[in-house]
Amino acid sequence: MSKKIKHILITCALAAVFAFSAAISACTIKTKHPRAAITIEFNDVTYKIEYTLYRNMYPQTVQHFIELADAGFYNNMIIHDYHTNGEWYTGAYSYEASDEHLAYSTAYANNDMADYLNEYSKEQAYYDLFESGALTPSVYKTDSFVGDNNTVKAEDALPTLIGEFSANDHNIKKGALTADYGVLKMYYYDKGSANKQVTIKNSFDQILMHDYKYNAATSIFTIQTSQSGGNSANNYAIFARLRNEKQIDKLDALTEAIADYEESISSTNGSLFKSYNTQVDKLDSFAGDEGRNISRDFNLTSLPLIIRSVKITKY
């Protein structure tokens, strides 16, 4: 598909969503959406890409993202796997260039990236934020009911995020975001055989029982860079779109810069990517022994793609 045709299709989709949002705003208390500016660095060039966050349809996911961004959690994060299936993953590991022993470039050259990932994991920082009260709870243990159906015990809150997507009974009748080019998605790891039941309190003030795997997101989100994504809207919360065609052009420029760099490396018989196996969810004690330490291969790069900042404009 040509870039021109792609832009026409995306612009039409954006226009349809914006029209729906305008109609919604007339009958809701919160009349406007927050915006996010994500500054990404590649090869010493920065790209500031702006998003609209759809709080009217995905309120708890957007709130969670805003709370993490406001805490500076996403600053200097590595985007990994950015050459694979059209999904850029970030929110798990920080980029560090000052430590001589585990500096990114040194670790990459010495094939020590597994140690680097272990050293600069952000999982503990995420749990510390939750324990400090900086993140609003939405998932609870199953024995957390108090009195009536609209109350849960605060002390039973789990440090994960409710899944606002149809597989988790979060259904939007009209205007739901789809897996289009550039969207942001909140990501979680499937707990497999260690899956449990949890209590969730949704945006409609309902308390429901659901699978933990659908309510286990923490900080990882993805940027979709393909025309259709593997992480579908049925199973992952797609909560933000590129604001306008100018932002589409910016993301295009970044993806083209990456492609050009990759081509230049390949032409010299070099390798831009190395795959490293590391463990995730090591601190997720609720999932049980079978659900923790999920093994995952991350494709790291000789030239890192880095989120330098995520800035929120509130309305």
Side-chain angles (χ1 to χ4, degrees):
M1 181 182 293
S2 71
K3 183 184 292 185
K4 183 176 180 181
I5 294 174
K6 177 180 73 176
H7 284 190
I8 291 171
L9 292 175
I10 295 171
T11 302
C12 290
L14 286 170
V17 174
F18 294 157
F20 169 74
S21 300
I24 285 291
S25 68
C27 58
T28 56
I29 296 174
K30 294 179 179 177
T31 58
K32 294 183 179 180
H33 302 294
R35 292 177 183 174
I38 302 179
T39 301
I40 302 175
E41 180 182 314
F42 181 75
N43 205 11
D44 295 325
V45 177
T46 58
Y47 303 78
K48 184 178 179 180
I49 302 173
E50 297 180 3
Y51 280 86
T52 298
L53 307 179
Y54 285 84
R55 181 169 51 194
N56 62 324
M57 292 186 281
Y58 312 95
Q60 295 187 75
T61 304
V62 168
Q63 177 171 281
H64 188 76
F65 181 77
I66 288 174
E67 288 170 345
L68 287 168
D70 282 350
F73 185 85
Y74 290 123
N75 296 350
N76 298 317
M77 282 283 194
I78 296 171
I79 294 177
H80 43 73
D81 289 351
Y82 63 74
H83 72 298
T84 51
N85 63 353
E87 301 274 358
W88 293 354
Y89 295 78
T90 190
Y93 299 96
S94 61
Y95 172 76
E96 299 291 339
S98 57
D99 188 317
E100 291 184 2
H101 176 60
L102 283 175
Y104 188 98
S105 58
T106 302
Y108 191 91
N110 294 335
N111 292 316
D112 288 335
M113 287 305 295
D115 289 337
Y116 181 97
L117 292 175
N118 183 62
E119 179 74 14
Y120 294 112
S121 167
K122 292 285 285 187
E123 189 176 13
Q124 184 62 60
Y126 174 86
Y127 278 77
D128 290 345
L129 268 181
F130 179 80
E131 291 298 327
S132 75
L135 305 178
T136 303
S138 58
V139 183
Y140 302 82
K141 297 176 183 178
T142 53
D143 58 352
S144 60
F145 291 99
V146 176
D148 58 58
N149 251 3
N150 292 313
T151 307
V152 286
K153 288 189 252 182
E155 62 268 25
D156 283 346
L158 296 173
T160 54
L161 174 66
I162 188 173
E164 293 183 311
F165 44 82
S166 59
N168 204 42
D169 286 341
H170 185 86
N171 296 302
I172 297 172
K173 294 181 180 179
K174 185 178 180 181
L177 301 191
T178 54
D180 301 323
Y181 181 71
V183 297
L184 304 185
K185 308 174 188 179
M186 195 61 70
Y187 187 77
Y188 63 91
Y189 289 104
D190 193 321
K191 301 303 175 183
S193 60
N195 187 41
K196 295 183 177 183
Q197 289 283 295
V198 293
T199 299
I200 59 175
K201 188 172 184 179
N202 65 22
S203 56
F204 307 106
D205 207 31
Q206 296 172 313
I207 292 182
L208 306 170
M209 301 285 289
H210 272 285
D211 286 349
Y212 179 55
K213 67 178 181 180
Y214 286 153
N215 302 282
T218 53
S219 61
I220 296 176
F221 72 92
T222 74
I223 303 172
Q224 182 172 309
T225 56
S226 61
Q227 296 306 306
S228 59
N231 298 331
S232 74
N234 294 330
N235 294 304
Y236 294 88
I238 300 173
F239 64 95
R241 277 186 182 273
L242 295 165
R243 279 194 57 216
N244 49 40
E245 190 166 357
K246 183 178 180 181
Q247 310 312 314
I248 296 170
D249 291 340
K250 290 180 182 180
L251 184 57
D252 281 345
L254 174 55
T255 58
E256 288 167 5
I258 291 169
D260 290 344
Y261 184 81
E262 183 175 4
E263 184 177 352
S264 70
I265 292 292
S266 299
S267 66
T268 60
N269 297 317
S271 175
L272 180 61
F273 309 105
K274 295 179 183 179
S275 183
Y276 291 90
N277 186 271
T278 188
Q279 302 293 317
V280 295
D281 281 355
K282 290 186 286 188
L283 302 180
D284 187 4
S285 58
F286 180 77
D289 291 337
E290 294 180 34
R292 295 184 342 216
N293 299 333
I294 298 169
S295 180
R296 170 69 192 265
D297 287 329
F298 288 120
N299 292 295
L300 277 297
T301 61
S302 56
L303 187 64
L305 184 61
I306 309 162
I307 289 184
R308 284 305 187 185
S309 66
V310 178
K311 301 293 185 183
I312 306 295
T313 302
K314 300 182 181 66
Y315 291 87

